[in-house]
Amino acid sequence: MDKTNNKGRNPKSPIGDLGVTPPLGGWGVNSLGYYGEFGGAFIPEMLQPNVDALRACYREIIDSPEFKQEFINLLKNYVGRPSPLYFAKRLSGHYNTKIFLKREDLNHTGSHKVNNTIGQILLAKMMGKNRIIAETGAGQHGVATATVCALMNLECIVYMGSTDMERQLPNVKRMEMLGAKVIPAESGNKTLKDATNEALRDWINNPEDTYYLIGSVVGPHPYPDIVAKFQSIISEEMGWQLDEQIGRTSPDYILACVGGGSNAAGAFYHYLENKTVKLIGVEASGLGTLSGETAASIACGEVGFIHGSKTLLMQDGDGQITEPYSISAGLDYPGIGPIHSHLFETGRATYIDATDKEALDAAFLLTRLEGIIPALESAHALAGLEKMKFNPDDVVVVNLSGRGDKDMEAYIKNL
Ligand SMILES: *Cc1c(COP(=O)(O)O)cnc(C)c1O
């Protein structure tokens, strides 16, 4: 028996004991669906029965042995978990500290998104749903959803703004190859917000057989809680992997990029109660927080309502949601999950931001020092390293949320 390999782990499960909720204290969602003053479910009355039905059953299903067994099996054998925790020696040397990379980029389909879509597709199946709808901006969540629908032989409909469809044609083709039907949203700016409206309309019209699969810790309660739980596998593995490699279960810092906030929520999750761990979210500030061309929802946002929840979002003087901008399509979202608004307001997590240029520089640096081409989203988390002051003994984990293959066009332009 290989003892080192099992140190710190639940011996019954090679990847951990997913679903065991750590003591989240005040940081988890409360019984009404709030994180502090944020969250809730602000939805049209006609949607209430669908959301109520989900809320009534999701915890029981997720905590059931049948669910856990199938989820853990797929994460291990289909996704390829546990994802490695890699000590980045040369990057550490560059910053004179100890940097580990949590390699979500090595997951099947190339990012952390699949952790969530695997979880929700099993939830949908166990609820007896056979039609899956989703909305997508950049197309990455759409691809992750189409992937698990192919796997489970379920009908898949993805709403996407027609402007986004033109900008992200390879992802549209991927979804179609996987068997999904991509429906263009032609209203408004023809981007993510419009696709979301179409998806919600579909769900209202098809309450019986349809499951709405949301891609980040956003949307009405209970979605932020569902997605955070599925992504919490990231910090769960981090604990025993650190123990295995350096004999301690917690780092001093965790850095993650923040679009809607799901990879950050998963990377922070098991450490929320442990205040010795400093949690750093990095937003995309595009051309700069003062430029108007930005996606930094915390730096530039105010309290409002988006996608069915109360949170911080970018809006103009009339309370209209403003169109976000970032070089990274996956961070190009005008709001932020309510859990992050709460972590920000309470000071439990710190949010900084990185521009397009800073993210590009960080991506090239990682590529040259470690031979890893990161996703542009993840490059924002890496850019955060520049803005921090670490001690040589600090243990810093950067959540490398995805791989850079999809971003080669942007990298080539900026070589
Ligand atoms: C979608 C995406 C993100 C942003 O989404 P979060 O919900 O904030 O995690 C980050 N990185 C990658 C690689 C993505 O595909």
Side-chain angles (χ1 to χ4, degrees):
M1 202 169 105
D2 183 353
K3 282 211 180 105
T4 53
N5 249 356
N6 278 317
K7 198 174 162 198
R9 300 190 208 178
N10 174 352
K12 278 182 286 190
S13 157
I15 59 165
D17 197 6
L18 194 107
V20 172
T21 308
L24 291 181
W27 307 115
V29 76
N30 71 19
S31 58
L32 298 171
Y34 281 85
Y35 301 86
E37 65 163 302
F38 301 104
F42 297 87
I43 49 176
E45 207 175 320
M46 276 155 61
L47 213 52
Q48 199 70 46
N50 303 20
V51 172
D52 283 346
L54 180 62
R55 198 176 54 205
C57 73
Y58 82 100
R59 286 203 179 180
E60 197 182 326
I61 292 179
I62 291 174
D63 287 337
S64 72
E66 298 78 29
F67 178 92
K68 277 191 195 173
Q69 196 188 359
E70 210 174 336
F71 187 44
I72 286 174
N73 175 46
L74 285 171
L75 288 183
K76 179 170 181 241
N77 297 312
Y78 184 72
V79 174
R81 303 202 72 90
S83 69
L85 183 73
Y86 166 67
F87 176 61
K89 195 168 165 210
R90 295 188 65 210
L91 190 70
S92 297
H94 183 85
Y95 287 110
N96 192 24
T97 190
K98 297 200 181 79
I99 301 172
F100 289 81
L101 303 176
K102 183 64 175 145
R103 299 291 308 275
E104 294 300 300
D105 59 314
L106 295 177
N107 294 339
H108 175 50
T109 68
S111 82
H112 67 292
K113 283 199 170 65
V114 71
N115 302 329
N116 169 52
T117 56
I118 291 267
Q120 286 196 58
I121 206 76
L122 291 176
L123 178 57
K125 243 180 43 162
M126 289 185 183
M127 288 176 73
K129 309 287 184 182
N130 53 29
R131 185 173 172 273
I132 306 298
I133 59 170
E135 88 274 334
T136 195
Q140 288 153 230
H141 171 59
V143 170
T145 303
T147 299
V148 296
C149 287
L151 180 69
M152 296 292 167
N153 190 25
L154 294 176
E155 184 183 353
C156 182
I157 289 126
V158 180
Y159 291 95
M160 190 168 183
S162 55
T163 307
D164 287 337
M165 283 177 74
E166 282 167 32
R167 288 195 289 207
Q168 309 286 344
L169 196 63
N171 276 341
V172 174
K173 295 296 160 198
R174 260 179 214 125
M175 286 184 264
E176 288 172 354
M177 184 170 172
L178 288 159
K181 186 167 170 203
V182 183
I183 301 183
E186 305 282 8
S187 59
N189 283 339
K190 307 181 170 81
T191 59
L192 182 62
K193 192 166 155 290
D194 315 295
T196 305
N197 290 338
E198 295 294 326
L200 288 172
R201 196 166 305 143
D202 181 312
W203 204 23
I204 289 172
N205 291 331
N206 300 283
E208 295 294 323
D209 64 342
T210 298
Y211 182 89
Y212 180 26
L213 206 162
I214 291 186
S216 190
V217 284
V218 300
H221 175 64
Y223 281 103
D225 189 36
I226 290 174
V227 179
K229 274 202 163 71
F230 292 150
Q231 294 294 359
S232 73
I233 186 70
I234 298 172
S235 49
E236 189 183 319
E237 289 173 1
M238 208 186 282
W240 62 255
Q241 289 174 319
L242 282 171
D243 189 26
E244 220 174 65
Q245 295 183 42
I246 57 169
R248 52 185 271 195
T249 55
S250 57
D252 296 300
Y253 292 87
I254 301 173
L255 277 82
C257 66
V258 179
S262 69
N263 87 87
F268 296 171
Y269 200 87
H270 285 259
Y271 297 106
L272 288 169
E273 276 277 90
N274 180 351
K275 292 202 181 154
T276 66
V277 184
K278 294 169 205 74
L279 308 173
I280 316 290
V282 187
E283 298 193 286
S285 52
L287 301 184
T289 48
L290 302 176
S291 68
E293 297 290 318
T294 181
S297 321
I298 288 184
C300 304
E302 284 167 54
V303 177
F305 299 87
I306 184 172
H307 212 151
S309 81
K310 182 181 176 191
T311 191
L312 293 166
L313 62 136
M314 301 192 308
Q315 42 198 319
D316 64 20
D318 301 328
Q320 294 295 317
I321 296 169
T322 53
E323 198 68 26
Y325 164 77
S326 162
I327 191 172
S328 149
L331 301 182
D332 205 344
Y333 181 70
I336 174 103
I339 186 173
H340 291 289
S341 296
H342 182 49
L343 294 174
F344 168 70
E345 286 273 331
T346 55
R348 173 65 191 97
T350 303
Y351 295 83
I352 59 180
D353 56 79
T355 63
D356 290 0
K357 169 84 171 60
E358 290 165 337
L360 284 166
D361 289 346
F364 287 118
L365 183 72
L366 183 76
T367 303
R368 288 303 179 91
L369 288 179
E370 298 288 348
I372 298 169
I373 302 180
L376 267 170
E377 292 84 1
S378 322
H380 286 76
L382 293 161
L385 293 169
E386 287 284 341
K387 314 198 162 193
M388 306 289 301
K389 285 222 165 23
F390 302 116
N391 293 320
D393 286 341
D394 282 339
V395 173
V396 180
V397 177
V398 179
N399 195 41
L400 205 69
S401 57
R403 68 176 83 126
D405 310 32
K406 66 180 178 58
D407 298 314
M408 280 317 294
E409 208 179 309
Y411 288 147
I412 290 163
K413 256 191 228 155
N414 290 282
L415 256 177

